[in-house]
């Protein structure tokens, strides 16, 4: 039986296992940042006290260079935010509010890797906790699935915790399901604020579960993740299910001579079949986009507007905050629904580089390790999921649910001190 061996492991294990409880209270958006700052503070305390701290909380080593890159990058995010607010005269009140938002969002991308690299948190504890969460997901899924067909309400309630402040009331609301406005059919979002995000959380669930050594728990975790992906009806989730699980397991082939020979033969065969395959790929992409045409149109328009306004109005430090959108984008904020275009619009080129550099570094290390050893599969799966998520969502407002993966990225970085 896998059980927590120290207070740090106990905190993360119980927090993951209690995800549905926190969701039922509308408290998930609060738990993530609080846990990040507690673990980050504990990591700093462990480094400061050294051998004076209790044995089972002693630091596993110094802060790795990659974690320093995450820390520096997220600090640059804060500076870019301040400069953007000053440039656009947004005022002290707005600056303080946005800085608190940074502490609940972008800061988590540094705090959790720091905790994962410094604190003795075993990967198998995180994996087992994710599988236990999957068990609760499977237990509750029949109720969620039946809700729209037996007349239960779409939303159960919105927690009073919304007074703390956040991106929107949906982060503090508890749902049975939601209605898809384009087809008026039910979609399920489980413990996420909306369905596409829940699908990527399902991908992470599968990636973690595949690392479980106990076949029973592995089956539970994988099944729960697949159920989440299917019931959210997310195209991105289906892509992630294939790419983020199969990709890391194919990486060892880059070190095999026969694989390169097979690739050369396949490339040569494209001389005859290339045009047909290219057309099939284009048709597939068109069908993929057409599956939710309205969503694709809105996202494309948001990105185009964000790109044009970034380039013409605020190249280096951005606009400081998202701006209200017009009817053409269904009143979605300009700078939302895409991490990279959102960064350019809100924090400019400086903000984009602040995320791109540590993420690219982490990706390169994960690719190398996945090719060399099975230990690199989970970090690469997590990085691929985060990258995929970044092209359809805003990472900073979803880091509060990605934290188990961020802890793994920190422990992975610790292997390269």
């Amino acid at each position: 039986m896998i059980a927590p061996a120290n207070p740090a492991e106990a905190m993360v294990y119980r927090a993951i296992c209690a995800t549905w409880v926190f969701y039922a209270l509308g408290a998930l958006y609060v738990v993530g940042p609080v846990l990040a700052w507690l673990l980050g503070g504990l990591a700093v305390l462990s480094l400061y006290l050294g051998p004076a701290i209790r044995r089972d909380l002693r630091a596993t080593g110094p802060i790795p260079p990659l974690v320093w890159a995450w820390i520096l990058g997220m600090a640059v995010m804060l500076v870019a935010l301040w400069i953007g607010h000053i440039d656009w005269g947004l005022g002290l009140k707005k600056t303080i509010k946005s800085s608190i938002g940074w502490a609940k969002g972008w800061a988590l991308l540094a705090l959790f890797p720091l905790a994962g690299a410094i604190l003795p948190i075993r990967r198998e504890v995180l994996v087992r906790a994710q599988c236990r969460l999957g068990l609760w997901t499977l237990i509750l899924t029949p109720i969620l699935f039946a809700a729209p067909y037996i007349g239960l309400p779409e939303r159960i309630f919105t927690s009073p915790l919304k007074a703390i402040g956040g991106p929107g009331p949906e982060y503090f609301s508890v749902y049975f399901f939601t209605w898809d406005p384009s087809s008026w059919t039910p979609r399920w979002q489980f413990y996420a604020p909306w369905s596409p995000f829940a699908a990527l959380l399902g991908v992470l669930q599968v990636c973690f579960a595949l690392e479980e050594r106990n076949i029973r728990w592995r089956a539970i975790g994988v099944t729960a993740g697949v159920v989440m992906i299917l019931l959210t009806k997310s195209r991105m989730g289906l892509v992630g299910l294939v790419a983020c699980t199969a990709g890391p397991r194919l990486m060892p082939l880059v070190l095999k001579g026969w694989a390169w020979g097979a690739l050369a033969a396949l490339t040569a065969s494209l001389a005859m079949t290339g045009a047909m395959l290219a057309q099939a790929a284009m048709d597939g992409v068109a069908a993929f986009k057409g599956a939710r045409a309205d969503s694709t149109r809105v996202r494309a328009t948001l990105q185009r507007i964000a790109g044009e306004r970034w380039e013409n109005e605020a190249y280096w430090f951005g606009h400081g905050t998202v701006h209200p959108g017009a009817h053409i984008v269904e009143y979605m904020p300009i700078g939302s629904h895409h991490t990279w275009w959102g960064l350019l619009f809100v924090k400019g080129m400086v903000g984009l580089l602040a995320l791109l550099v540590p993420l690219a570094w982490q990706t390169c290390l994960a690719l190398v390790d996945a090719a060399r050893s099975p230990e690199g599969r989970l970090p690469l799966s997590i990085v691929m999921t985060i990258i995929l998520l970044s092209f359809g969502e805003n990472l900073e407002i979803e880091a509060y649910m990605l934290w188990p993966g961020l802890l793994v990225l920190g422990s992975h970085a610790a292997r390269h001190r």
Side-chain angles (χ1 to χ4, degrees):
M1 180 178 178
I2 295 176
N6 58 64
E9 284 189 346
M11 273 198 291
V12 299
Y13 183 85
R14 290 168 185 166
I16 295 174
C17 292
T19 294
W20 277 106
V21 175
F22 291 135
Y23 177 68
L25 298 173
L28 277 177
Y29 187 73
V30 178
V31 171
V34 169
L35 188 63
W37 286 97
L38 285 175
L39 290 174
L42 187 58
V44 172
L45 183 65
S46 178
L47 288 168
Y48 177 74
L49 294 179
I53 200 170
R54 51 187 290 177
R55 185 180 298 274
D56 59 357
L57 283 178
R58 288 178 184 173
T60 59
I63 299 177
L66 176 52
V67 174
W68 275 119
W70 280 111
I71 295 171
L72 179 60
M74 298 309 105
V76 169
M77 288 282 191
L78 182 60
V79 174
L81 182 149
W82 289 340
I83 294 176
H85 278 64
I86 293 173
D87 285 346
W88 292 89
L90 299 180
L92 180 61
K93 182 179 179 180
K94 185 72 173 177
T95 302
I96 293 173
K97 183 178 178 181
S98 296
S99 298
I100 294 173
W102 170 89
K104 295 186 293 185
W106 288 117
L108 275 58
L109 296 181
L111 291 169
F112 281 120
L114 173 64
I118 300 303
L119 298 175
I121 300 173
R122 292 169 294 163
R123 182 185 296 189
E124 54 264 35
V125 171
L126 296 172
V127 170
R128 178 58 59 85
Q130 285 288 148
C131 290
R132 292 182 67 89
L133 170 59
L135 176 60
W136 281 107
T137 299
L138 291 179
I139 291 172
L140 294 171
T141 292
I143 301 173
L144 301 177
F145 185 78
Y149 304 109
I150 62 176
L152 293 179
E154 180 179 2
R155 184 175 64 184
I156 302 174
F157 78 102
T158 298
S159 171
L161 290 171
K162 70 176 182 179
I164 296 174
E170 62 270 20
Y171 285 80
F172 303 94
S173 297
V174 183
Y175 294 86
F176 278 124
F177 65 97
T178 54
W179 292 107
D180 186 345
S182 63
S183 61
W184 205 244
T185 57
R187 297 178 77 184
W188 289 266
Q189 59 200 67
F190 296 89
Y191 42 81
W194 49 72
S195 296
F197 184 25
L200 271 296
L201 292 178
V203 173
L204 282 180
Q205 173 75 43
V206 173
C207 294
F208 270 96
L210 289 174
E211 299 295 311
E212 174 59 59
R213 297 178 182 178
N214 183 293
I215 189 170
R216 182 172 64 90
W217 280 114
R218 187 193 313 149
I220 289 172
V222 170
T223 303
V226 172
V227 166
M228 290 178 68
I229 294 166
L230 294 178
L231 291 186
T232 55
K233 303 179 181 179
S234 169
R235 299 166 296 169
M236 190 184 300
L238 294 173
V239 172
L241 178 61
V242 177
C244 300
T245 56
R249 284 158 178 78
L250 294 176
M251 281 302 298
L253 294 180
V254 303
L255 302 179
K256 307 291 185 181
W258 65 265
W260 286 101
L263 180 62
L266 179 63
T267 303
S269 70
L270 291 178
M272 295 181 291
T273 63
M276 180 180 65
L277 292 175
Q279 184 60 47
M282 292 174 63
D283 292 343
V285 170
F288 182 82
K289 292 182 176 179
R292 295 181 59 80
D294 289 341
S295 174
T296 299
R297 175 188 58 79
V298 169
R299 288 175 182 273
T301 305
L302 279 172
Q303 293 164 23
R304 177 177 55 80
I305 295 174
E308 291 175 355
R309 293 190 58 186
W310 155 69
E311 190 172 9
N312 295 325
E313 299 174 3
Y315 187 86
W316 288 110
F317 295 101
H319 294 80
T321 184
V322 296
H323 286 188
H327 175 68
I328 191 174
V329 291
E330 299 182 6
Y331 305 103
M332 297 293 182
I334 307 300
S336 66
H337 290 75
H338 197 289
T339 295
W340 305 103
W341 287 115
L343 273 175
L344 287 173
F345 183 82
V346 177
K347 294 181 174 64
M349 181 60 70
V350 171
L352 183 138
L353 292 175
L355 175 62
L356 180 61
V357 171
L359 184 58
W361 188 349
Q362 186 91 56
T363 303
C364 290
L365 285 184
L367 286 168
V368 172
D369 283 355
R372 291 177 174 175
S373 166
E375 289 291 314
R377 291 175 182 171
L378 182 56
L380 181 57
S381 295
I382 293 168
V383 168
M384 291 177 66
T385 304
I386 288 174
I387 292 173
L388 184 61
L389 184 64
S390 73
F391 288 102
E393 305 283 350
N394 292 77
L395 286 179
E396 74 276 16
I397 60 174
E398 296 174 348
Y400 78 101
M401 287 299 297
L402 300 174
W403 63 265
L406 297 176
L407 286 173
V408 172
L409 295 185
S411 63
H412 173 239
R415 299 179 60 189
H416 298 271
R417 284 190 172 97

